[in-house]
Amino acid sequence: MKHGEAAVSKATESRMPAYLRYLKGEAGKGVEYVSSAAIAKDMGLSAVGVRKDLALVSSRPGKPRFGFEIKLLIEDIEKFLGYHRWANAVIVGAGGLGRAILAYEGFENYGIHVIAAFDASPAKVGAVGGKPVYPMEQLKEIARRFSVRVAILTVPRSAAQEACDEIVAAGIGAILNFAPVHLHVPEGIAVRYEDLAVSLAALCGEGAEDQ
Amino acid sequence: MKHGEAAVSKATESRMPAYLRYLKGEAGKGVEYVSSAAIAKDMGLSAVGVRKDLALVSSRPGKPRFGFEIKLLIEDIEKFLGYHRWANAVIVGAGGLGRAILAYEGFENYGIHVIAAFDASPAKVGAVGGKPVYPMEQLKEIARRFSVRVAILTVPRSAAQEACDEIVAAGIGAILNFAPVHLHVPEGIAVRYEDLAVSLAALCGEGAEDQ
DNA sequence: TAGATTGTTAATCGATTAACAATC
DNA sequence: TAGATTGTTAATCGATTAACAATC
């Protein structure tokens, strides 16, 4: 089986962002090559698993005695994850969390332009960190005009389903939902729940087991 | 096999928060019973999978012809997830994201008290939404005093590893990291990466496949 | 009762781990 | 060369799906 040509399993794909993060960290320190054993140790995985994962996405094999060339690996993983084909995103709900995300600069590294935020309250309209906050009524128009592919939903729980419906009506097919509410959406709309409290609670559980 | 007595798989456990969110939504509408088929349809799972999951955590079986009693199920899942044993958390980094999380009220439903935030910059010290922001120097003392179990790391990327080291030195055993950086931690410290850009990029990918 | 719905056992599928040959 | 490291094939493990019996 040639490198980078097989079907990649879901489990492997889900680990790729973590590899990328790790490899960028090592590259930043000036390291040029890294072995599967080193990656495995630092990331808490098995070395064989790492080799299998990397074989699936890397365009050329690692070198025995050296390991993998980090720069090359980073390129391959970014290409695999599609961080090169750009997508436009918007934020719906310009409260504290929405504004914080709007001001966040890190999205550009992942092929995402967060172009604007929207809010139902006129008081929130304006700009944050150089990016515009529009009234909710303009969502549809702007989503169409800029072919917005994904919306980040940061309204309060009670407004979430209604805002969600407006996002769907605007033709946006993917929603990253920060409201701790199950959203009812038509088939074909991708929803991902980003529940801070759940992540935190899960972590508490892990930590607690060691007692 | 009796209900609620078997070893619960990791996959099952990871779905529990989603069930909880869904069931609370239905309970809020006044629904009292729900069938595995209905849950499966609304959540995009298989009915058999749902029954198997619920059998593992529920204290009594569902009723043929009725389904599962929602109120009971919510209790059982919350108990299973440990949302009843409380834990204290702190935020490290009182920038936009840190302050937004500090002001967020939803953690209490998950058995988590976010008691304070910390920041290295004196300008950030004060209070947000009734909760204190302390200088970084006080982290260790307060972590010890209140037996803080988990830290939410919301400092800029460049400050992340250093802040992480301070968290570990303060005796906190679990870190929810929002900085897009791989953290090096001693064995036994649980780290979870909450990378907004990665979540968003993954969602873009899903949406794009339907084209 | 009849029918909807549950719970369980067996079969399939997918992912990880173990063992080993290939390579620089 | 010798040794570290890779890639692959086979074996194990875990999770999901399919088929069916049990129950209210």
Side-chain angles (χ1 to χ4, degrees):
Chain A
M1 203 184 299
K2 290 261 182 59
H3 273 263
E5 294 191 359
V8 176
S9 80
K10 214 133 203 230
T12 293
E13 186 174 347
S14 73
R15 281 186 294 267
M16 283 303 144
Y19 286 123
L20 197 52
R21 200 157 42 217
Y22 173 78
L23 293 169
K24 282 185 173 174
E26 295 305 294
K29 289 189 218 157
V31 182
E32 288 187 21
Y33 285 86
V34 64
S35 73
S36 61
I39 297 175
K41 181 167 167 276
D42 285 343
M43 291 182 56
L45 302 169
S46 85
V48 182
V50 171
R51 284 204 292 282
K52 222 159 189 180
D53 281 344
L54 296 184
L56 287 171
V57 301
S58 78
S59 56
R60 66 185 76 177
K63 291 182 195 168
R65 194 109 174 114
F66 279 78
F68 296 85
E69 188 178 341
I70 292 185
K71 217 182 81 186
L72 217 69
L73 222 42
I74 289 176
E75 274 177 29
D76 285 334
I77 295 176
E78 287 190 332
K79 193 173 166 195
F80 168 76
L81 288 171
Y83 291 174
H84 296 301
R85 49 161 199 267
W86 288 85
N88 285 333
V90 295
I91 294 170
V92 174
L97 185 58
R99 297 169 94 85
I101 296 175
L102 190 58
Y104 180 61
E105 312 240 318
F107 293 112
E108 303 293 320
N109 296 320
Y110 297 82
I112 295 162
H113 291 301
V114 177
I115 59 173
F118 295 84
D119 203 290
S121 157
K124 298 270 176 59
V125 171
V128 174
K131 289 186 180 166
V133 180
Y134 296 117
M136 203 58 189
E137 290 77 35
Q138 293 187 35
L139 174 61
K140 191 176 237 167
E141 179 208 333
I142 289 181
R144 291 267 155 84
R145 179 134 53 101
F146 293 97
S147 304
V148 171
R149 279 239 294 277
V150 58
I152 305 170
L153 185 54
T154 53
V155 302
R157 156 195 266 130
S158 60
Q161 184 61 57
E162 197 186 326
C164 167
D165 295 341
E166 294 192 53
I167 290 167
V168 172
I172 298 171
I175 300 172
L176 184 63
N177 177 32
F178 280 86
V181 183
H182 175 81
L183 296 177
H184 290 268
V185 293
E187 207 142 333
I189 305 290
V191 179
R192 182 157 171 157
Y193 296 87
E194 198 74 32
D195 199 321
L196 303 183
V198 167
S199 298
L200 204 54
L203 202 50
C204 286
E206 280 180 52
E209 279 169 29
D210 293 352
Q211 287 174 354
Chain B
M1 203 187 297
K2 289 261 185 58
H3 273 262
E5 293 191 358
V8 176
S9 81
K10 213 128 202 238
T12 293
E13 185 174 349
S14 73
R15 280 187 294 267
M16 283 303 145
Y19 286 123
L20 198 52
R21 200 158 41 219
Y22 173 77
L23 293 169
K24 283 185 171 173
E26 294 304 294
K29 288 189 219 157
V31 182
E32 289 187 20
Y33 284 86
V34 66
S35 73
S36 60
I39 297 175
K41 181 167 168 278
D42 285 343
M43 291 182 57
L45 303 169
S46 86
V48 181
V50 170
R51 285 204 292 280
K52 222 158 190 180
D53 282 344
L54 296 184
L56 288 170
V57 302
S58 76
S59 56
R60 67 186 74 177
K63 291 183 195 167
R65 194 116 169 104
F66 279 78
F68 296 86
E69 188 178 341
I70 291 185
K71 217 183 82 186
L72 218 70
L73 222 42
I74 290 176
E75 275 176 29
D76 286 333
I77 296 176
E78 287 189 331
K79 194 173 167 194
F80 168 77
L81 289 171
Y83 291 172
H84 295 301
R85 49 162 200 266
W86 288 85
N88 286 333
V90 295
I91 293 168
V92 174
L97 185 58
R99 298 168 94 85
I101 296 176
L102 189 58
Y104 180 62
E105 314 238 318
F107 293 112
E108 303 293 321
N109 296 320
Y110 297 82
I112 296 162
H113 291 302
V114 177
I115 60 173
F118 296 83
D119 202 290
S121 157
K124 298 271 176 60
V125 171
V128 174
K131 289 185 179 167
V133 180
Y134 297 116
M136 202 60 189
E137 291 77 36
Q138 293 188 36
L139 175 60
K140 192 176 237 166
E141 179 208 335
I142 290 182
R144 290 267 155 83
R145 180 135 52 100
F146 293 97
S147 304
V148 170
R149 279 238 295 276
V150 57
I152 304 169
L153 184 54
T154 52
V155 302
R157 154 195 267 132
S158 59
Q161 183 62 57
E162 197 186 326
C164 168
D165 295 341
E166 295 192 54
I167 290 167
V168 172
I172 299 172
I175 300 172
L176 183 64
N177 177 31
F178 280 86
V181 183
H182 177 81
L183 296 177
H184 290 268
V185 294
E187 206 142 333
I189 305 290
V191 178
R192 181 157 173 159
Y193 296 89
E194 199 75 33
D195 199 321
L196 303 184
V198 167
S199 298
L200 205 54
L203 202 50
C204 285
E206 280 180 52
E209 280 170 28
D210 292 352
Q211 286 175 351

